[in-house]
Amino acid sequence: MKHFLDIDKTSVAELHGMIADAKAIKNARNGRPRGAPDDDLPLKDNMVALIFEKPSTRTRVSFDVGVRQMGGQTMVLSGSEMQLGHGETVADTARVLSRYVDLIMIRTFEEATLLEMAEHATVPVINGLTNRTHPCQIMADILTFEEHRGPIAGKKVVWCGDGNNVFASFAHAAGQFGFDLVFSGPEPLDPEMGFVEQARAKGVSVEIDRDPARAVAGADLVVTDTWVSMHDAPSARERRHNQLRPYQVNEELMRHANPDALFMHCLPAHRNEEATNGVMDGPNSVIFDEAENRLHAQKAIMRWCLTP
């Protein structure tokens, strides 16, 4: 079964194949109406279950549109409708859904839910996000970088902020795609060292530098994410703001990076918190290309999952 659970669990050749396929998919749609189906319909007569325990805008819309453009149909299910793990077990849910649908995408909180779903499903399962990783986002980010700057192998990527699930998938990608990675953030919000060590074991440099200006020197790509989740309590918001304020990506910080360094943010953003409007709307920002590329990258992932 070809599940797409994490970037490190997929071979380098297959990852490069997905990026190439995503580029071809995007190029083939150039100038076509947004709602028009693809000429190639690899999901024709396929039903895809989109499960959202955790709310979403980009993941929901991009997967839904992608399935429809490739000729399939979607069934969107919320956690409150399914009560995953609260009534029926995740394993039994996976077994039942596999009798109805051809592909499952799940966006959930606990990684264990994803892994149990994949273990017991008899159809492919895609990780739409967990608290530990966000591989679909990083596939879109790789696609975005390469369409603007060419191969990402050998480049320097700098992450400013919280060592969260998005950073974890960047660390996976560093090892698989061969780029160097620097984390710059406060020590209490360091990433799991297992992610760092795994990438280093594959021969790339992964560093931690508390000085953001020094960290971004020579960067080809600067990335950040929200300091707090959109639904975090006010007390958590204030504490994280105090920890992360020195790591804001602003115009002054970007001047330390390479002149043509790109800026990315996976969105949604708290503008003028983790990054200033000047950076987000500036000439080096590709945040909306990045958001669009979720659609194309995920279409390539779904095609890969359903290709024997």
Side-chain angles (χ1 to χ4, degrees):
M1 190 61 58
K2 292 171 71 175
H3 301 307
F4 185 75
L5 303 182
D6 272 315
I7 288 172
D8 68 318
K9 292 180 171 67
T10 309
S11 76
V12 172
E14 288 172 312
L15 292 169
H16 281 288
M18 282 184 242
I19 295 297
D21 194 27
K23 292 175 184 175
I25 289 168
K26 184 174 184 178
N27 290 338
R29 291 196 61 82
N30 187 35
R32 298 180 61 188
R34 296 296 180 192
D38 294 352
D39 294 325
D40 179 19
L41 300 176
L43 268 64
K44 188 176 186 297
D45 300 325
N46 281 260
M47 177 65 72
V48 180
L50 306 177
I51 303 173
F52 293 93
E53 280 200 297
K54 197 168 187 177
S56 165
T57 298
R58 273 148 295 277
T59 301
R60 176 167 179 165
V61 175
S62 57
F63 267 107
D64 200 346
V65 170
V67 171
R68 293 166 189 253
Q69 287 182 347
M70 292 195 293
Q73 298 184 62
T74 59
M75 177 184 297
V76 181
L77 302 165
S78 71
S80 61
E81 290 172 322
M82 301 187 68
Q83 292 297 304
L84 268 176
H86 299 291
E88 185 175 54
T89 65
V90 175
D92 284 351
T93 300
R95 293 182 181 108
V96 170
L97 282 179
S98 297
R99 303 295 182 100
Y100 300 145
V101 304
D102 304 287
L103 179 66
I104 298 169
M105 187 288 302
I106 181 168
R107 180 181 172 95
T108 187
F109 292 92
E110 299 302 323
E111 183 183 53
T113 302
L114 167 76
L115 297 179
E116 188 173 357
M117 180 73 70
E119 180 182 356
H120 296 281
T122 55
V123 298
V125 174
I126 295 173
N127 176 2
L129 174 141
T130 71
N131 286 346
R132 292 197 76 218
T133 59
H134 196 0
C136 289
Q137 178 63 57
I138 304 312
M139 292 296 283
D141 292 355
I142 301 294
L143 172 62
T144 305
F145 184 91
E146 294 200 342
E147 71 181 1
H148 284 274
R149 296 289 185 265
I152 197 168
K155 301 298 185 180
K156 179 180 179 180
V157 177
V158 180
W159 177 277
C160 293
D162 176 14
N164 62 12
N165 54 349
V166 185
F167 175 84
S169 287
F170 255 116
H172 283 159
Q176 298 291 73
F177 286 92
F179 59 85
D180 295 330
L181 183 61
V182 180
F183 170 81
S184 190
E187 186 173 359
L189 299 178
D190 275 355
E192 289 184 34
M193 285 307 297
F195 294 127
V196 172
E197 291 163 358
Q198 183 182 24
R200 286 173 176 168
K202 295 189 176 183
V204 297
S205 171
V206 183
E207 300 176 2
I208 295 176
D209 193 331
R210 305 294 174 202
D211 182 337
R214 185 173 60 207
V216 303
D220 300 293
L221 171 62
V222 178
V223 192
T224 192
D225 196 1
T226 53
W227 289 348
V228 293
S229 178
M230 293 293 179
H231 50 263
D232 277 353
S235 58
R237 180 182 294 270
E238 183 177 358
R239 182 175 65 255
R240 281 179 169 254
H241 276 208
N242 291 335
Q243 291 174 314
L244 289 163
R245 195 167 286 112
Y247 299 94
Q248 181 191 66
V249 182
N250 51 42
E251 293 89 329
E252 175 59 30
L253 184 64
M254 288 297 292
R255 279 194 278 272
H256 292 274
N258 285 340
D260 64 345
L262 297 178
F263 169 74
M264 291 188 191
H265 187 309
C266 67
L267 303 178
H270 294 95
R271 281 175 170 264
N272 291 318
E273 291 185 8
E274 63 268 12
T276 60
N277 281 339
V279 171
M280 294 186 70
D281 299 325
N284 293 45
S285 174
V286 289
I287 59 174
F288 297 113
D289 289 344
E290 182 185 4
E292 178 190 342
N293 282 341
R294 288 289 301 277
L295 170 65
H296 310 299
Q298 289 161 185
K299 287 166 82 171
I301 291 167
M302 288 188 283
R303 284 166 57 103
W304 174 80
C305 285
L306 293 171
T307 300

